[in-house]
């Protein structure tokens, strides 16, 4: 059911999926959804949390804030690299990332769990790095620091949700843009963007 939910919810959203579609793909009876999950929305929440956890489990979240600029740069690049690779290479990466992006654009009641499991700890760790790189206390969270951090996450997510545009642009070179190559580019750009002076 979780796999069927991932396939359908990522493509159609929670409101676009009927329980009959879920059970047909999962090969189970309609009573299985309320028995195991309580209902369609609870199944959606379980699929979403499972996807967020699969990515969160692959992130090297630092135990302590960075002490200096060099440590902040290392932490930021490690986190961004791991985030990109997780987005692009976890099992069912495409549907999982699409589902997470959909939840960011149109939050449901399940948003809080996804935010707590994945986005809040990642955003917090990156924001500490950004603050340190910009000469502020790593524990400070100014609006500019939070906006820059959000932009960094967007750099990673765009690669995960716009494969078609990237493949079309790269043409015959598309195979060269594997997860490791993309992660190296994004983590380098993230470091430059985090430390850049305002325009």
């Amino acid at each position: 059911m979780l796999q069927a939910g991932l396939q359908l919810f990522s493509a159609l959203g929670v409101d676009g999926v009927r329980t009959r579609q879920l059970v047909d793909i999962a090969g189970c009876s309609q009573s299985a959804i309320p028995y195991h999950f309580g209902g369609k929305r609870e199944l959606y929440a379980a699929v979403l949390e499972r996807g967020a956890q699969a990515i969160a489990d692959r992130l090297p979240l630092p135990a302590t804030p960075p002490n200096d600029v060099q440590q902040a740069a290392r932490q930021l690049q490690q986190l961004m690299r791991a985030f990109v690779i997780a987005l692009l290479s976890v099992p069912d990466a495409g549907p999982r990332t699409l589902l997470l992006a959909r939840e960011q654009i149109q939050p449901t009641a399940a948003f809080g769990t996804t935010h707590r499991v994945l986005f809040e700890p990642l955003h917090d760790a990156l924001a500490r790095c950004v603050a340190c790189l910009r000469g502020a206390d790593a524990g400070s969270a100014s609006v500019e620091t939070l906006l820059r951090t959000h932009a960094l996450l967007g750099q990673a997510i765009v690669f995960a949700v716009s494969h078609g545009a990237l493949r079309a642009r790269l043409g015959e070179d598309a195979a060269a843009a594997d997860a490791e190559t993309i992660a190296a580019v994004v983590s380098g750009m993230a470091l430059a963007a985090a430390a850049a002076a305002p325009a």
Side-chain angles (χ1 to χ4, degrees):
M1 279 188 286
L2 290 167
Q3 193 61 35
L6 176 61
Q7 180 183 337
L8 290 170
F9 292 139
S10 65
L12 305 171
V14 67
D15 292 326
V17 175
R18 296 186 325 276
T19 54
R20 170 54 59 196
Q21 292 171 288
L22 287 164
V23 297
D24 285 349
I25 290 177
C28 61
S29 69
Q30 204 145 5
S31 63
I33 293 175
Y35 178 78
H36 291 288
F37 297 97
K40 179 181 78 166
R41 292 198 177 277
E42 291 81 5
L43 172 58
Y44 174 80
V47 170
L48 194 61
E49 183 173 0
R50 185 179 187 211
Q53 193 65 59
I55 294 169
D57 287 345
R58 299 179 70 164
L59 300 179
L61 294 173
T64 58
N67 293 323
D68 55 39
V69 171
Q70 289 78 19
Q71 189 178 31
R74 276 194 309 277
Q75 286 183 4
L76 183 136
Q77 288 196 287
Q78 288 170 349
L79 278 170
M80 289 301 293
R81 182 185 172 283
F83 185 48
V84 170
I85 290 173
L87 286 176
L88 297 178
S89 61
V90 292
D92 299 311
R96 284 185 195 279
T97 304
L98 186 57
L99 185 64
L100 289 168
R102 181 184 288 278
E103 186 65 23
Q104 295 293 310
I105 295 166
Q106 296 177 319
T108 67
F111 175 80
T113 301
T114 305
H115 183 69
R116 178 184 50 78
V117 167
L118 174 60
F119 290 107
E120 185 174 30
L122 176 58
H123 203 285
D124 192 47
L126 287 171
R128 290 194 301 260
C129 295
V130 170
C132 187
L133 286 165
R134 300 191 53 71
D137 178 82
S140 72
S142 70
V143 171
E144 183 181 348
T145 294
L146 296 179
L147 291 175
R148 282 178 181 263
T149 303
H150 203 70
L152 298 182
L153 291 174
Q155 289 179 2
I157 292 169
V158 74
F159 280 96
V161 297
S162 64
H163 280 294
L166 181 60
R167 279 194 303 271
R169 183 68 181 104
L170 291 173
E172 293 178 5
D173 296 327
D178 61 2
E180 290 285 346
T181 303
I182 293 170
V185 169
V186 171
S187 64
M189 289 177 59
L191 182 57

